[in-house]
Amino acid sequence: MTRRAGMSRQADRRGSIGDRRMAGQAARRQIRLAAAVILATGLIWVAASWAGGRFGLPVRYAFLFDFAALGAFSWSLVVLVRNWNNRTAGGDG
């Protein structure tokens, strides 16, 4: 790892304030996206379940909606856990 002129090793490891701010903004953007996915998935899942019962769709469509919702919730969980781990490890401030 090379150091910039006049910069201590500790300051070089932490990164500049601008870098940390950009990383924090990216983390907040990912968290907001995960929250929006959770909200939209819940609403669509409930609406699809209601529509399936109302219009008598075959059960295979219910499983399709269930697995799609499971995938979206799983993706959101992974994104949120990664952000949480980065923040507790000091990666994103």
Side-chain angles (χ1 to χ4, degrees), residues 8-92:
S8 71
R9 286 179 193 250
Q10 184 178 12
D12 191 33
R13 266 186 259 137
R14 284 194 312 244
S16 70
I17 293 172
D19 292 342
R20 286 184 287 164
R21 186 175 299 144
M22 292 290 286
Q25 289 173 350
R28 284 190 292 276
R29 193 170 32 250
Q30 284 183 341
I31 291 169
R32 282 194 302 267
L33 177 62
V37 167
I38 290 170
L39 177 66
T41 299
L43 293 174
I44 292 170
W45 190 23
V46 168
S49 295
W50 173 83
R54 176 86 166 98
F55 300 117
L57 294 176
V59 176
R60 64 182 174 176
Y61 290 115
F63 281 115
L64 176 68
F65 293 133
D66 290 345
F67 284 125
L70 184 62
F73 286 136
S74 298
W75 177 84
S76 296
L77 179 66
V78 168
V79 168
L80 292 173
V81 167
R82 289 174 112 186
N83 270 294
W84 179 67
N85 283 336
N86 285 341
R87 284 181 179 250
T88 56
D92 287 341

